[in-house]
Amino acid sequence: MVGGLVLLTSCGTEAAGGPGGGPTSASVSTPTPTVGRRTPTPPPPTCPASGAMITVGPVEPALGHRAVVLKLTNCRTAPITVNGYPDVAVLNARRRTMNVTIEHGTSYMARDPGPTRIRLRKGESALAAVSWSSTVEVAEDKASGTYLAVARHRDERPVTWPVDTDLGTTAKVTLTAWCLKFPN
């Protein structure tokens, strides 16, 4: 479903529900198990006190590159605001933070729209992408994560999602800023 990632390249800074806004046909689905490897179950969709429900789509491959789409949905009545980049950490199988470089910007898989303040009414969503390369640059141990811990920003408690991140020897992920997605 690279279509979900293509959507990120066209994210605008227009306010939710503004002129030209309308439903899109793109959707983000829940992670699916990798063949031959047991994938942990994603957390149940619940609305946290912050009102920012975060889901993570499946890993999308392309020529040695990988990406997942993060979807933040306002699940409470009052509007919420997103601004900048999500807070993301790669975790190992024991749910411990791995030593991974997190860069903000454009990658092979997704264009970074840059930080923008976005106000989301109930049911409206914003997207971001986490991407990485499965490149092996030298004969070293390869880094592989099992989970992503994701929060709207650093001050909020993250939600942990099962995501196999085969980082090769680069131990680096690239993160885009939140961008607008009209409600379905």
Side-chain angles (χ1 to χ4, degrees):
M1 181 189 100
V2 175
L5 295 174
V6 172
L7 178 63
L8 285 176
T9 65
S10 64
C11 282
T13 57
E14 184 178 318
T24 63
S25 61
S27 65
V28 177
S29 60
T30 56
T32 55
T34 304
V35 175
R37 188 169 174 176
R38 187 172 175 259
T39 302
T41 305
T46 58
C47 187
S50 68
M53 183 174 60
I54 296 174
T55 57
V56 178
V59 175
E60 299 296 339
L63 301 171
H65 301 276
R66 316 275 188 266
V68 293
V69 175
L70 310 177
K71 182 178 180 183
L72 180 148
T73 303
N74 180 1
C75 56
R76 68 177 186 190
T77 305
I80 62 172
T81 301
V82 294
N83 188 8
Y85 296 84
D87 186 44
V88 173
V90 179
L91 310 178
N92 64 20
R94 294 182 178 161
R95 295 184 184 228
R96 293 195 175 120
T97 303
M98 295 177 60
N99 186 17
V100 172
T101 302
I102 310 261
E103 293 184 349
H104 294 170
T106 296
S107 70
Y108 180 85
M109 296 292 284
R111 188 175 315 163
D112 184 14
T116 303
R117 185 177 173 93
I118 302 170
R119 183 173 182 240
L120 300 172
R121 293 184 301 232
K122 183 176 182 170
E124 293 179 327
S125 300
L127 299 175
V130 178
S131 57
W132 62 93
S133 295
S134 183
T135 304
V136 177
E137 294 178 347
V138 292
E140 293 178 13
D141 289 334
K142 295 185 232 174
S144 292
T146 306
Y147 299 94
L148 284 181
V150 183
R152 175 172 47 162
H153 50 69
R154 288 185 189 255
D155 298 333
E156 287 189 3
R157 182 182 169 131
V159 52
T160 302
W161 278 82
V163 177
D164 288 327
T165 54
D166 54 338
L167 301 170
T169 57
T170 62
K172 179 180 90 169
V173 299
T174 305
L175 180 62
T176 67
W178 291 114
C179 65
L180 190 60
K181 180 179 186 311
F182 296 106
N184 291 332

